[in-house]
Amino acid sequence: MSQINDLFSEFDVPELTAGVAEVGRGPLCGDVVTAAVILDPARPISGLNDSKKLTEKRREALFVEIQEKALSFCIARASVAEIDEINILQASLLAMHRAVAGLSIQPEYVLVDGNKVPKWPYKAEAVVKGDSRVPAIAAASILAKVTRDREMIALDGVYPGYGMAGHKGYPTKVHMEALQRLGVTPIHRRSYAPVRAMLESEQ
């Protein structure tokens, strides 16, 4: 058994427990993406871990395996417009709500990565660093990250010059320089300070 699966024993929860994780709170552009996963105890998946600690090749392989073996999974999101309207925290919680509501099997319990739980009817618990402690949360983080990374790579072709395929929308030096040079795109989050400052300077 891997360390991550051993650590799952610290949470006394029902078998139908969903893990929930989000990806994309920090980037300046693109949707925030979440996933919810209920794993099948009869079909274990080895190597689950925080998606950021895995290689891209390993994440891609696990992305397929999780969807094949999970009892249920759902990938959801909140849009750039929603992020700008209600702020990134509330948008992340909204996307988590959508992910759990979209599961084909409704969970008896939900473990959420981080320190906040959405307002919903499910019995739930927030788990700090849950993506490296709970297999179902790790699985959810992998689904969410691979989904969002693929979308940012595709958007790099729509909005060339920003390097989105490389930095995935995070405020890297390359991205900030491109933003200065090329301006704000429709997928940038206008409520974020660097983007807002750019728009104000153009007025």
Side-chain angles (χ1 to χ4, degrees), residues 8-198:
F8 187 54
S9 62
E10 71 182 273
F11 299 97
D12 184 18
V13 295
E15 187 170 293
L16 287 179
T17 294
V20 179
E22 60 79 22
V23 172
R25 287 180 64 169
L28 300 180
C29 58
D31 296 348
V32 60
V33 178
T34 60
V37 178
I38 301 176
L39 293 175
D40 185 351
R43 304 184 73 191
I45 301 171
S46 63
L48 291 174
N49 204 337
D50 175 357
S51 61
K52 297 183 293 298
K53 297 178 181 179
L54 301 170
T55 65
E56 182 179 356
K57 182 178 180 180
R58 185 62 183 141
R59 283 196 302 268
E60 289 284 349
L62 285 168
F63 183 82
V64 175
E65 187 176 1
I66 292 163
Q67 293 182 74
E68 289 176 347
K69 292 184 175 179
L71 288 175
S72 183
F73 72 89
C74 179
I75 300 168
R77 70 189 57 245
S79 68
V80 171
E82 288 172 321
I83 293 168
D84 286 339
E85 181 179 355
I86 62 177
N87 77 47
I88 185 60
L89 172 59
Q90 294 305 317
S92 297
L93 295 173
L94 174 61
M96 289 180 182
H97 195 293
R98 288 169 174 166
V100 177
L103 290 168
S104 59
I105 301 171
Q106 285 296 281
E108 299 171 21
Y109 202 79
V110 183
L111 293 173
V112 180
D113 188 37
N115 58 8
K116 292 187 182 296
V117 174
K119 293 180 180 179
W120 54 19
Y122 308 100
K123 293 181 179 179
E125 180 180 352
V127 184
V128 176
K129 296 184 178 179
D131 49 7
S132 60
R133 299 171 64 195
V134 179
I137 294 179
S141 77
I142 291 165
L143 293 189
K145 180 165 177 56
V146 171
T147 297
R148 191 178 192 282
D149 283 358
R150 287 178 177 179
E151 290 176 1
M152 295 310 297
I153 291 169
L155 286 168
D156 191 29
V158 180
Y159 302 102
Y162 293 86
M164 293 175 189
H167 54 65
K168 309 300 188 296
Y170 282 88
T172 63
K173 182 180 179 181
V174 170
H175 190 181
M176 295 302 295
E177 289 175 349
L179 196 59
Q180 290 282 343
R181 186 174 69 255
L182 302 173
V184 177
T185 73
I187 64 166
H188 275 96
R189 301 171 181 177
R190 283 155 170 72
S191 57
Y192 276 41
V195 181
R196 186 170 65 247
M198 175 64 63

